[in-house]
C-alpha cells in the first residue's frame, strides 16, 4: 500500500512538472511570436495634404483632351487597427475617344496616416479589352505583399520597411522637403518586384496653368513601372514650391509626341 501511495505521489508530481514545463514552453513560444512580428511605425510630418483634397486633370495627347483624371483624398479609414488615408484615383476617356479605346480605371490606396506608406491598394483596370482587378495587401510588419485576384494569390517576401505602392510614393514625396539638386529616394513595390525609385529635382521655374501662374519645381522621377497615370518613356513633373507641393503638370514622352496631364481644377485644404 505504501509503495502504491509513493508511486501515485511520484506520478502526480511528474504530471504537475510536465504541465509546468508545457506552460513555460507555451510562454516562450508566445514571446518568440511577438519577437517575430514587431509592429513597425514611423512619424512623417505632413503639411502637404488632408481629407477633402481633390485634383482634376485633363489628359491630353497631341494637344487634344482625351480623358479626365481625378486624385481625391476621400476619407479616413480604420484598416485592421491602422488609421489610413483612403485615396481614390479615377481615369476616364471622353465619349469620342471611348468609341475607339475606352478607359475606365479606378485605383484606391490606403496610406498609413502617420507614416505615409502603403497598407493596401485596389486596382480596377478597364482599358479596351484589357480588364484586371487586383488587391495588394502590404503587411509592413512581416515585410510582405500579398496580391489577390481572380487567377489566385501570390505572396512576395522581404520587401523593405515602409514600402510604397505606385500612389502612396507620390503622396510621400509631397511631404518631403524639396530642394533643387537634392534627390529623393524611396522603395516602391509594383509589378511583382521592389523598385528603388529616384526623384531628381532639376530646377525651379514659373509656369502658367488654367488655375493661374505658379512657381514650380521641375522634377524627373526614374521608374520602371506605371505611376498614377499610364505613362511611357521619359517623364517630367511640375509641382508647386509651397508646402502643399501641388501637382500642376505631367509630361510623358511617347515617340515624337507627348502625353500631358494638366491640372484644371483643385480643392486644396488649408
Amino acid at each position: 500500500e505504501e509503495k502504491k501511495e509513493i508511486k501515485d505521489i511520484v506520478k502526480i508530481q511528474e504530471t504537475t512538472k510536465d504541465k509546468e514545463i508545457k506552460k513555460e514552453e507555451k510562454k516562450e513560444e508566445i514571446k518568440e511570436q511577438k519577437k517575430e512580428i514587431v509592429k513597425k511605425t514611423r512619424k512623417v510630418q505632413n503639411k502637404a495634404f488632408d481629407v477633402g483634397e481633390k485634383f482634376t486633370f485633363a489628359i491630353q495627347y497631341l494637344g487634344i483632351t482625351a480623358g479626365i483624371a481625378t486624385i481625391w483624398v476621400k476619407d479616413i479609414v480604420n484598416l485592421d487597427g491602422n488609421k489610413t488615408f483612403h485615396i481614390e484615383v479615377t481615369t476616364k476617356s471622353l465619349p469620342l475617344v471611348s468609341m475607339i479605346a475606352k478607359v475606365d480605371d479606378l485605383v484606391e490606396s490606403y496610406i498609413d496616416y502617420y507614416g505615409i506608406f502603403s497598407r493596401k491598394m485596389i486596382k480596377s483596370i478597364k482599358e479596351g479589352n484589357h480588364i484586371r482587378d487586383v488587391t495588394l495587401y502590404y503587411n509592413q510588419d512581416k515585410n510582405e505583399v500579398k496580391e489577390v485576384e481572380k487567377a489566385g494569390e501570390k505572396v512576395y517576401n522581404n520587401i523593405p520597411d515602409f514600402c510604397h505602392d505606385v500612389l502612396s510614393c507620390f503622396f510621400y514625396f509631397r511631404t518631403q522637403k524639396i530642394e533643387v539638386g537634392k534627390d529623393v529616394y524611396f522603395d516602391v513595390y509594383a509589378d511583382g518586384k521592389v523598385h528603388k525609385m529616384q526623384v531628381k529635382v532639376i530646377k525651379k521655374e514659373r509656369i502658367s496653368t488654367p488655375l493661374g501662374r505658379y512657381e514650380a519645381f521641375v522634377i524627373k522621377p526614374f521608374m520602371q513601372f506605371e505611376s498614377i497615370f499610364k505613362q511611357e518613356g521619359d517623364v517630367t513633373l511640375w509641382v508647386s514650391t509651397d508646402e502643399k507641393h501641388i501637382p500642376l503638370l505631367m509630361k510623358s514622352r511617347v515617340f515624337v509626341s507627348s502625353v500631358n496631364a494638366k491640372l484644371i481644377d483643385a480643392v486644396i485644404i488649408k
Side-chain angles (χ1 to χ4, degrees):
E1 285 295 323
E2 286 181 7
K3 286 182 180 180
K4 188 181 177 185
E5 285 179 11
I6 291 168
K7 281 184 180 178
D8 288 342
I9 292 167
V10 171
K11 192 174 180 181
I12 291 167
Q13 287 175 340
E14 286 177 349
T15 303
T16 305
K17 191 175 181 181
D18 287 343
K19 283 182 179 178
E20 287 175 356
I21 290 170
K22 285 180 181 178
K23 194 174 180 181
E24 288 301 315
E25 286 176 349
K26 189 67 178 175
K27 283 181 182 178
E28 289 301 316
E29 188 182 330
I30 291 168
K31 280 182 184 178
E32 287 301 315
Q33 286 175 354
K34 286 181 178 179
K35 281 180 187 177
E36 286 174 12
I37 304 174
V38 179
K39 194 167 181 64
K40 292 170 186 167
T41 187
R42 69 180 179 188
K43 178 74 174 178
V44 172
Q45 187 176 33
N46 173 25
K47 295 182 179 180
F49 64 91
D50 208 339
V51 172
E53 178 186 86
K54 190 172 186 178
F55 300 128
T56 303
F57 300 85
I59 308 299
Q60 300 176 328
Y61 181 67
L62 295 173
I64 299 169
T65 300
I68 298 294
T70 63
I71 303 176
W72 180 24
V73 185
K74 191 173 182 179
D75 51 14
I76 299 291
V77 172
N78 186 306
L79 191 68
D80 299 326
N82 299 299
K83 188 176 180 180
T84 65
F85 287 108
H86 175 205
I87 295 171
E88 186 176 280
V89 175
T90 62
T91 308
K92 296 179 183 290
S93 54
L94 294 182
L96 188 61
V97 177
S98 294
M99 293 172 66
I100 305 166
K102 186 176 181 179
V103 174
D104 186 6
D105 295 346
L106 170 63
V107 178
E108 297 172 85
S109 181
Y110 295 81
I111 300 174
D112 190 86
Y113 183 88
Y114 302 103
I116 317 298
F117 53 81
S118 185
R119 291 284 183 187
K120 180 181 176 181
M121 168 169 266
I122 303 171
K123 296 171 74 174
S124 178
I125 307 300
K126 297 175 184 175
E127 299 172 357
N129 294 323
H130 174 61
I131 297 175
R132 188 187 182 204
D133 294 290
V134 59
T135 301
L136 294 88
Y137 298 92
Y138 288 71
N139 190 327
Q140 303 285 352
D141 299 332
K142 289 186 176 181
N143 294 94
E144 69 177 28
V145 175
K146 181 167 73 172
E147 287 192 15
V148 180
E149 54 186 320
K150 194 174 182 180
E153 297 182 6
K154 292 179 182 177
V155 176
Y156 299 87
N157 298 302
N158 301 317
I159 66 166
D161 290 346
F162 311 119
C163 195
H164 290 283
D165 61 48
V166 298
L167 185 52
S168 69
C169 65
F170 171 67
F171 280 86
Y172 173 75
F173 175 76
R174 289 179 59 199
T175 67
Q176 299 302 288
K177 185 178 180 181
I178 302 176
E179 299 175 11
V180 174
K182 183 181 177 183
D183 297 352
V184 181
Y185 296 88
F186 38 81
D187 297 303
V188 181
Y189 171 86
D191 305 326
K193 59 183 178 180
V194 175
H195 304 262
K196 176 69 73 174
M197 189 166 175
Q198 176 188 16
V199 181
K200 296 186 81 68
V201 185
I202 309 299
K203 61 181 179 179
K204 285 183 186 180
E205 66 180 29
R206 290 193 68 82
I207 66 168
S208 294
T209 77
L211 303 182
R213 285 183 62 79
Y214 282 86
E215 183 176 50
F217 288 113
V218 182
I219 64 174
K220 293 185 78 67
F222 293 89
M223 52 194 174
Q224 291 80 45
F225 55 88
E226 291 180 4
S227 62
I228 301 169
F229 310 121
K230 191 176 178 69
Q231 90 293 319
E232 296 176 16
D234 192 38
V235 177
T236 307
L237 289 166
W238 284 257
V239 299
S240 64
T241 57
D242 61 8
E243 64 184 11
K244 296 294 183 182
H245 297 146
I246 300 164
L248 303 167
L249 177 65
M250 182 193 84
K251 289 186 178 181
S252 177
R253 181 65 57 184
V254 181
F255 300 113
V256 295
S257 186
S258 65
V259 174
N260 298 342
K262 183 182 292 186
L263 184 67
I264 57 172
D265 194 19
V267 176
I268 299 165
I269 308 304
K270 300 297 184 184

